[in-house]
Amino acid sequence: MHNLDTLRAEQEKILSLGGKDKIEKQHNLNKMTARERINALIDEGTFVELDAFAQQRGSIPYSDENLAADGVVCGYGAVNNRQVCVFAQDFTVIGASLGEVGAEKIVKVMELAAKTGIPVIGLAESAGIRLSEGLDALCGLGKILKTSAKISGVVPQILSVMGPLAGIFAALSPLCDFTLVTEKNSTIFLNGPQVVKGSTNDDVTAENLGGAKISAKFGKAQIVCEDDADCIEKIKKILDYIPDNNLGATPFGGEADDINRTSEMLNSVNSENLDIRTVINEICDASSVLELSKDYAPNVVTAFAYLGGESAAIVAASGELDIAGCKKAARFVSFADSFNIPVVTLTNVSGFKAERKEEDDNNIAAAADLISAYSEATTAKIDVIIGSACGGAYLAMGSKYIGSDMTIAWPGAEISVLNSSACANIMFKDDIAKSDDPKKERDEKIAEYKENNANPYIAAKRGYVDNIIEPALTRPVVISALEMLAGKRESGLSKKHKSN
């Protein structure tokens, strides 16, 4: 006869997490418990827990602690009827400190996701490595980071940081495809405040070092959420735009907007009053734009959106390209390419940011990363030149020269080896210097150069632009191009890793 009483007692012990007092403390910080987060994320009745009975091996130095599930809840279930794997760290169990067994559980669920071709979602918060387990815990963490790197580009990895994430465990954040943080509780840093103070004698708080605002500003997190509940809703939103794996199709968003809708407003804008986010919203399906990393390199917009109900990755640059902007765009293009999401680039760049600090911080390498991302991408790529397209910055922004499948320009676009002002200053410097009115002469030469040498018709005559269209028609033209490119077949050269 089965001893069901023992089974039920053990299950109750596991479900009790770290105990009522610690659960209450978690709630007082406006944070859900690990199991509450999973219940909010996973469709009701679909969650299957794995390794619930796994626990720290050997003698337990925490005799008064309940090491329920070793502080990590792992399993699989459905999110809006799509299968996912998930792990959630339980802060009520000795601060969700990571031990050997807990790490093995996380690795196991990551590997399951890769084998079955479904996304893996991490609901993370941890005080760090469980020091009592020493190198065994460190080894376990290494296996997590290794596994995350190995499955990158095979299945999407989404990480939500709902509390502290410190030390080398924080490296899981950039290894994952998307990181979400909560406004009041999240902190991400490699070295904590005490370590920084010991090294530099600077007094800094955890929030100032790696809080949500700082993480968003410096690109550690793509989305800042109000609280745990909002974070979980944002995870569901991201899933709406991405496939289950690198061989799968993106979810269809539905034909909620007319694919032939035009925008007369776009006919009235010029490079001086061009707002890149307004252009994106006018082109994409209504209310479908999900911007990522909004506070990091705001001159470059990266966003998911629907075009005719199909998911697309939007990359839009306005003004000067800087290091942060190049890194932001390159990472997003690489993700989109890994999962066969078409990339639509909106170009309005006058050049690379000309500052000594940019040079010192190796802007050349950042530009090379962006060029590499676009050049190696075999997904469908459409470039729409809506304003300035000048010099190396234009070249790097998914231009025809580095692999755009379709390049479209607005009639007012400026396409040039340098911006017209710089070209006029160089080519006509003697005329400007000799003039009785140098300013007037310079303005006239700029206008002359722009009209005769930097208009889109010259580029189109040379085959660098495939079509020049009325701005109002951008949406239907882009959707038509995406439909045509849906069957694109292209593969890159075989190699072991990227050269850079």
Side-chain angles (χ1 to χ4, degrees), residues 19-34:
K20 291 182 180 180
D21 291 345
K22 292 184 178 178
I23 292 173
E24 185 178 350
K25 185 176 179 180
Q26 186 84 341
H27 288 164
N28 289 339
L29 292 172
N30 196 30
K31 294 195 293 184
M32 296 179 181
T33 66

Side-chain angles (χ1 to χ4, degrees), residues 115-417:
K115 282 193 293 186
T116 55
I118 59 177
V120 58
I121 299 169
L123 309 176
E125 65 169 330
S126 175
I129 289 176
R130 194 174 296 165
L131 297 179
S132 65
E133 296 190 29
L135 291 178
D136 291 334
L138 186 64
C139 175
L141 175 53
K143 290 177 180 178
I144 292 174
L145 300 176
K146 176 185 176 181
T147 305
S148 178
K150 284 179 65 177
I151 70 174
S152 177
V154 178
V155 293
Q157 299 180 71
I158 301 173
L159 184 72
S160 64
V161 181
M162 300 175 172
L165 191 64
I168 194 59
F169 201 175
L172 184 61
S173 170
L175 284 172
C176 290
D177 298 304
F178 305 102
T179 297
L180 300 86
V181 292
T182 55
E183 284 183 353
K184 294 182 179 179
N185 294 313
S186 298
T187 52
I188 304 174
F189 40 68
L190 192 60
N191 292 307
Q194 292 179 336
V195 178
V196 171
K197 182 174 175 59
S199 177
T200 66
N201 205 33
D202 289 338
D203 283 316
V204 61
T205 65
E207 184 177 354
N208 290 337
L209 190 62
K213 289 183 179 179
I214 295 296
S215 295
K217 180 179 179 181
F218 293 102
K220 296 179 185 179
Q222 284 72 48
I223 295 180
V224 177
C225 310
E226 293 179 14
D227 51 25
D228 288 9
D230 183 45
C231 192
I232 287 163
E233 290 306 310
K234 294 293 196 308
I235 292 171
K236 294 178 180 180
K237 189 69 174 175
I238 291 174
L239 286 171
D240 287 341
Y241 295 93
I242 61 178
D244 290 336
N245 54 64
N246 60 337
L247 301 177
T250 54
F252 182 63
E255 296 179 359
D257 200 351
D258 182 6
I259 61 173
N260 295 311
R261 173 173 57 80
T262 61
S263 173
E264 287 301 323
M265 187 201 74
L266 294 181
N267 279 349
S268 63
V269 301
N270 55 51
S271 58
E272 282 73 34
N273 64 13
L274 188 81
D275 179 76
I276 200 76
R277 289 173 175 82
T278 299
V279 175
I280 293 171
N281 285 317
E282 286 295 306
I283 293 171
C284 298
D285 291 4
S287 303
S288 74
V289 178
L290 175 64
E291 185 172 352
L292 305 167
S293 303
K294 189 172 184 178
D295 297 321
Y296 174 58
N299 55 313
V300 174
V301 177
T302 52
F304 286 123
Y306 293 126
L307 282 157
E310 299 290 348
S311 181
I314 311 296
V315 180
S318 186
E320 294 180 316
L321 269 185
D322 57 6
I323 291 173
C326 288
K327 289 181 176 180
K328 176 179 175 178
R331 179 180 172 90
F332 192 55
V333 170
S334 294
F335 171 83
D337 182 51
S338 295
F339 294 97
N340 303 304
I341 302 171
V343 177
V344 178
T345 304
L346 305 180
T347 300
N348 179 31
V349 288
S350 56
F352 287 105
K353 192 172 186 177
E355 283 185 3
R356 172 63 187 271
K357 189 177 187 306
E358 287 281 307
E359 295 289 342
D360 290 345
D361 291 343
N362 203 356
N363 55 358
I364 299 171
D369 284 344
L370 181 57
I371 292 167
S372 177
Y374 271 113
S375 299
E376 293 193 339
T378 58
T379 189
K381 294 172 286 187
I382 298 173
D383 184 21
V384 185
I385 303 172
I386 62 176
S388 297
C390 300
Y394 159 48
L395 190 102
M397 281 296 297
S399 65
K400 176 69 73 176
Y401 321 109
I402 62 170
S404 168
D405 298 301
M406 186 66 62
T407 299
I408 302 160
W410 288 1
E414 175 189 357
I415 306 174
S416 176
V417 67

Side-chain angles (χ1 to χ4, degrees), residues 414-434 441-442 444-454 458:
E414 175 189 357
I415 306 174
S416 176
V417 67
L418 284 175
N419 66 70
S420 296
S421 176
C423 285
N425 284 338
I426 295 169
M427 295 177 65
F428 306 110
K429 64 178 181 179
D430 292 338
D431 294 336
I432 294 171
K434 293 175 184 177
E441 182 72 13
R442 179 177 177 275
E444 289 176 353
K445 291 299 184 184
I446 291 172
E448 178 185 331
Y449 181 85
K450 187 178 291 187
E451 181 178 351
N452 297 330
N453 299 282
I458 294 173

